[in-house]
Amino acid sequence: MLSRLKIPKTILWVINTGLVLFALFFIFRLITFFAFNPPGISFADCLPSFVLGAQYDLRWISIFLLPVILFSYHRSFSPFYSARSKRIWTWYLAVITFLLFLFFIADMVSFSYNRTRLDAGAMNFVEDPGISLNMIWQTYPLIWILVGLIAAVICFKWALNKSHWQVINLTDGKAIMHRKMPFVIAALLLGLFIYGRIDDKPLKWKDSFALKDSFKTYLALNPLQNFFSTMQFRKPVINEKGAREAFPLMAEFLQFPQKAPFGFKRTVAPHSAGLESKPNVVLVICESYSMYKSSMSGNLLNASPYFDSLSKKGIFFERCFTPHFSTARGLFAILTGTPDVQLFKFSTRNPEAIDQNTIINNFTDYSKHYFLGGDPGFNNFEGLLMNISNLQLHTEQTIDAPRINVWGISDKDLFLAANTVFKKERQPFFAIIQTSDNHRPYTIPETDHDFQKKIISKDSLEANGFESLEEYNTFRYADYSIQKFIETAVQEDYFHNTIFVFIGDHGVAGNATSVYPSVWTTHRLSDEHVPFLIYAPYLVAPQQRKETVSQVDVLPTIAGLLQRPYDNFTLGRDLLAPDKKGNLAFITNTAGKIGIVDDRFYYVKSLDFAEEDLVPIDTTIVYPRRVLDSVRTKMSALTNAYYQTAQYLLLNNRKTP
């Protein structure tokens, strides 16, 4: 039919190519739906996502094809003018297709790991290409992926050549001239698809959030749209005015004196029950330590029985939340007391935010150590750690132990190396041990013969929140490593006067319905829910704490255990202070949402448009409308105040000389 209209050959070829690309986008979106759709969401529910997604797909297809139309306006550049022009355009589209498939694959990996679409946050890992590529190499069948990718591109290039030949056959002998007007019309039509709308407002990235469901939003977006749209958010936001306006509310939450001047540095006096023995502090930051996967949550697979036994002998906070999902952000929140609210770029990689005060520097008469089994240059951990005065680094380069994978030496060897350093210390010490084994590629050293892997059915794993047997056994290996550490440490003199603190760096998205209310899964609180334990059997009495607390509270709480004043600079609070009021944790994510979880509710709102949600933690309780409205108003105001303050502190918490 199109050939009868005497449409130029190039435009016919572009139409055929566009249909093939549109089919690829649609198939990819279909695969995404069937692979990752959460329980309770049907295909019919997602039809608006497919419709909106088609608009985003047409935009990118038009971006790819518009150069062919524009250049072919001049006949000598048409793919039908010469064999050379044909080769150039088929190779151009083949390269585009190669990049497109790369984005598709990276997007599937992103979805499988953290349940979010590929975005500009991926650039955080591109900045560490060696480690990132090694992790991918050791985790995924990269060779087969590349073979499949090359095969797909070859097939697509073959299809382009066949389409070229078919167009020639359809138009041969029909005296179709190379008229310029059809090219103008085609360019305008592609321009309209790129604009995305027929009204005065162009199609925008944030239009997808009007679907008011994270999965439906991600399904509508394609990886190209999401990635390039979020690149604009990799720069820090400076908003001192917003922080000053929010200060009265934050000052009330932080229990500052009335009419306190704007600022967050305060000197905190010691508790009457503070320890006078100058105890050592060992802060263990546990990789991907999701609370819902642990024995402490009541998970039937009992993956962390030893940690569970420790939690009954220490001060255990069972409702601790990290502000964000990622190791770099977790380390930042712990050391600085400020949530890393810079979207799509880690503040550890932001030169403007890397200079930070930390409560650890109050321990002036302590030696300070940091232990990591891998490379501290990854995500610029080392840059953030340099804010700790006189810090000694112990890493894979200095610890005599074999590397087991891209993340360096095993956690067991890391703990034992730390113990060797601790038992030689002749002065109080503050040490950070950052584990890394509980992460893809899930490597368990074959030399640890006393660790026995377990075989669990796939159905049982999935019902209890584990994606694979490898993940489950690696979680168990993390518990094994902690057990070996404590069993070794208890034999040393330093143990009796040491406070051991364990905190997860972040959680992992997944099905937590076997142990927690549905909001953990539907609203992804499982991403941020982690164990927080203070274990010092000779120094502190056991407590089981049920209130909601935050990762930013770790250092103030540690400092509060000692009989000494300390300077606090940001938003963390001493959770054991007798006069502490208010239980909550601030949460943000790269989907452009911020929120607060407390003992009764999780409130979340969008940064891009007027959407908010207030979800009861206990869904069996029915709250009157007036109660919900009142809570929503208060939590909305506090959420905004916390966010504005955190933005300000990212760039205004520089350490003093």
Side-chain angles (χ1 to χ4, degrees):
M1 176 182 172
L2 292 175
S3 60
R4 294 196 197 107
L5 297 176
K6 297 190 179 297
I7 295 175
K9 298 174 183 178
T10 300
I11 297 178
L12 289 174
W13 190 60
V14 165
I15 291 172
N16 290 342
T17 304
L19 290 173
V20 173
L21 289 173
F22 188 80
L24 288 177
F25 274 100
F26 177 77
I27 291 170
F28 172 71
R29 185 169 284 105
L30 208 59
I31 292 171
T32 302
F33 170 79
F34 285 110
F36 302 111
N37 68 304
I41 295 183
S42 67
F43 186 82
D45 295 332
C46 292
L47 285 178
S49 298
F50 280 90
V51 172
L52 182 58
Q55 293 177 259
Y56 289 121
D57 296 347
L58 285 172
R59 163 179 285 171
W60 285 95
I61 292 168
S62 299
I63 289 173
F64 299 153
L65 297 179
L66 185 59
V68 183
I69 295 296
L70 293 178
F71 278 96
S72 296
Y73 180 82
H74 296 283
R75 183 169 176 267
S76 59
F77 292 109
S78 167
F80 291 87
Y81 179 76
S82 65
R84 180 173 177 270
S85 295
K86 173 191 169 185
R87 282 196 305 271
I88 290 173
W89 287 118
T90 52
W91 273 111
Y92 161 75
L93 290 170
V95 171
I96 288 293
T97 307
F98 180 83
L99 296 175
L100 181 62
F101 275 110
L102 273 182
F103 269 87
F104 284 170
I105 292 170
D107 189 64
M108 295 293 284
V109 171
S110 177
F111 243 119
S112 67
Y113 183 58
N114 58 26
R115 297 297 189 273
T116 58
R117 184 119 267 170
L118 181 71
D119 56 41
M123 295 301 293
N124 292 313
F125 303 100
V126 172
E127 292 166 351
D128 284 305
I131 293 176
S132 299
L133 285 173
N134 267 330
M135 192 275 286
I136 294 171
W137 174 265
Q138 294 176 12
T139 304
Y140 302 100
L142 194 58
I143 293 295
W144 287 110
I145 290 173
L146 289 174
V147 169
L149 180 60
I150 292 171
V153 172
I154 290 173
C155 289
F156 185 77
K157 189 171 183 295
W158 172 84
L160 288 174
N161 287 324
K162 185 175 182 180
S163 174
H164 188 276
W165 175 77
Q166 287 176 335
V167 168
I168 291 175
N169 278 352
L170 283 171
T171 58
D172 194 30
K174 295 185 179 179
I176 297 176
M177 305 297 293
H178 188 88
R179 295 172 294 125
K180 294 188 175 181
M181 184 53 65
F183 286 89
V184 173
I185 295 172
L188 290 174
L189 184 60
L190 292 179
L192 179 61
F193 285 149
I194 293 171
Y195 190 77
R197 296 279 173 81
I198 58 175
D199 54 22
D200 60 339
K201 294 182 179 179
L203 179 67
K204 295 181 179 179
W205 167 74
K206 68 179 183 181
D207 289 341
S208 62
F209 291 92
L211 296 169
K212 297 185 177 181
D213 178 88
S214 59
F215 178 75
K216 293 177 184 177
T217 294
Y218 294 141
L219 188 64
L221 292 163
N222 62 51
L224 293 162
Q225 184 67 53
N226 202 49
F227 180 82
F228 289 105
S229 295
T230 53
M231 286 293 288
Q232 62 183 304
F233 300 115
R234 283 178 56 79
K235 295 182 180 180
V237 176
I238 303 173
N239 188 1
E240 182 174 341
K241 180 182 177 182
R244 288 185 177 275
E245 291 174 352
F247 183 71
L249 194 54
M250 291 304 298
E252 179 183 359
F253 166 67
L254 295 171
Q255 297 175 246
F256 287 176
Q258 288 189 351
K259 298 183 179 180
F262 178 72
F264 294 88
K265 180 181 177 181
R266 64 270 194 199
T267 300
V268 183
H271 301 169
S272 59
L275 301 169
E276 298 181 1
S277 60
K278 283 190 177 181
N280 310 303
V281 176
V282 177
L283 171 58
V284 182
I285 302 175
C286 304
E287 173 65 46
S288 302
Y289 215 61
S290 285
M291 181 66 179
Y292 76 98
K293 297 176 187 284
S294 74
S295 301
M296 294 77 76
S297 69
N299 191 298
L300 294 179
L301 293 188
N302 197 25
S304 57
Y306 189 77
F307 195 110
D308 188 36
S309 70
L310 295 183
S311 71
K312 294 177 173 62
K313 301 171 186 175
I315 303 174
F316 182 62
F317 296 89
E318 63 179 56
R319 287 284 176 93
C320 179
F321 294 88
T322 67
H324 209 296
F325 172 88
S326 84
T327 298
R329 296 187 194 275
L331 183 64
F332 190 93
I334 292 169
L335 294 188
T336 69
T338 301
D340 184 0
V341 294
Q342 182 179 344
L343 300 180
F344 306 107
K345 185 179 179 70
F346 298 152
S347 285
T348 56
R349 288 206 165 277
N350 176 5
E352 298 174 79
I354 198 66
D355 185 7
Q356 294 283 331
N357 260 311
T358 176
I359 286 176
I360 297 176
N361 286 333
N362 286 273
F363 293 74
T364 53
D365 49 347
Y366 279 53
S367 63
K368 303 178 185 73
H369 301 270
Y370 171 77
F371 296 85
L372 177 70
D375 182 357
F378 182 67
N379 282 326
N380 198 28
F381 294 165
E382 189 171 12
L384 179 65
L385 291 162
M386 288 302 98
N387 290 299
I388 303 174
S389 302
N390 304 313
L391 180 68
Q392 302 175 55
L393 269 62
H394 310 266
T395 68
E396 63 176 356
Q397 296 179 342
T398 60
I399 298 173
D400 185 16
R403 290 179 94 247
I404 63 168
N405 59 26
V406 64
W407 305 119
I409 69 174
S410 74
D411 286 348
K412 189 196 80 170
D413 287 342
L414 180 69
F415 280 126
L416 296 182
N419 179 70
T420 300
V421 173
F422 298 160
K423 68 183 183 182
K424 295 178 182 178
E425 276 286 3
R426 294 296 176 263
Q427 68 178 107
F429 58 85
F430 192 117
I432 300 170
I433 303 175
Q434 187 170 346
T435 70
S436 54
D437 277 356
N438 190 30
H439 192 289
R440 288 176 173 86
Y442 299 137
T443 306
I444 298 173
E446 296 180 359
T447 52
D448 289 327
H449 303 294
D450 54 337
F451 177 79
Q452 299 296 320
K453 296 181 181 179
K454 288 186 177 181
I455 305 298
I456 305 292
S457 71
K458 183 178 180 181
D459 289 345
S460 183
L461 288 168
E462 291 179 353
N464 289 278
F466 289 93
E467 291 187 353
S468 67
L469 191 60
E470 291 76 18
E471 182 198 17
Y472 169 65
N473 278 309
T474 306
F475 202 99
R476 291 181 58 244
Y477 183 78
D479 192 60
Y480 161 89
S481 299
I482 292 171
Q483 180 176 356
K484 291 297 181 183
F485 174 48
I486 296 299
E487 288 178 348
T488 303
V490 76
Q491 302 174 38
E492 308 296 343
D493 292 339
Y494 75 84
F495 179 83
H496 299 77
N497 194 38
T498 299
I499 300 170
F500 297 88
V501 180
F502 296 87
I503 179 77
D505 63 349
H506 58 80
V508 177
N511 179 15
T513 54
S514 65
V515 287
Y516 288 116
S518 59
V519 62
W520 259 252
T521 303
T522 58
H523 287 66
R524 300 187 57 171
L525 283 177
S526 56
D527 285 33
E528 290 88 16
H529 188 196
V530 296
F532 174 21
L533 170 65
I534 300 171
Y535 174 72
Y538 291 89
L539 300 175
V540 298
Q543 298 180 49
Q544 297 295 300
R545 307 288 291 248
K546 297 183 180 297
E547 72 266 33
T548 302
V549 302
S550 174
Q551 193 179 47
V552 301
D553 301 324
V554 171
L555 286 184
T557 303
I558 293 172
L561 286 168
L562 279 64
Q563 188 64 37
R564 57 165 62 199
Y566 67 94
D567 291 331
N568 193 353
F569 308 90
T570 55
L571 301 177
R573 303 181 300 159
D574 180 357
L575 300 174
L576 302 176
D579 60 343
K580 179 187 73 72
K581 297 178 181 178
N583 305 322
L584 61 83
F586 175 83
I587 292 174
T588 183
N589 62 52
T590 49
K593 293 184 178 181
I594 57 176
I596 281 178
V597 58
D598 65 13
D599 295 341
R600 297 191 301 159
F601 298 97
Y602 177 38
Y603 172 83
V604 61
K605 66 188 296 184
S606 173
L607 291 170
D608 299 304
F609 53 89
E611 181 202 354
E612 60 180 0
D613 198 5
L614 180 67
V615 187
I617 296 297
D618 186 348
T619 54
T620 64
I621 300 176
V622 178
Y623 294 93
R625 171 72 59 151
R626 58 180 177 77
V627 172
L628 294 175
D629 290 344
S630 175
V631 170
R632 183 181 290 105
T633 299
K634 291 178 181 178
M635 294 188 77
S636 175
L638 186 55
T639 297
N640 186 65
Y642 208 119
Y643 178 66
Q644 299 288 348
T645 303
Q647 281 187 318
Y648 169 79
L649 286 172
L650 281 182
L651 304 180
N652 290 277
N653 180 39
R654 293 181 177 86
K655 64 180 181 291
T656 53

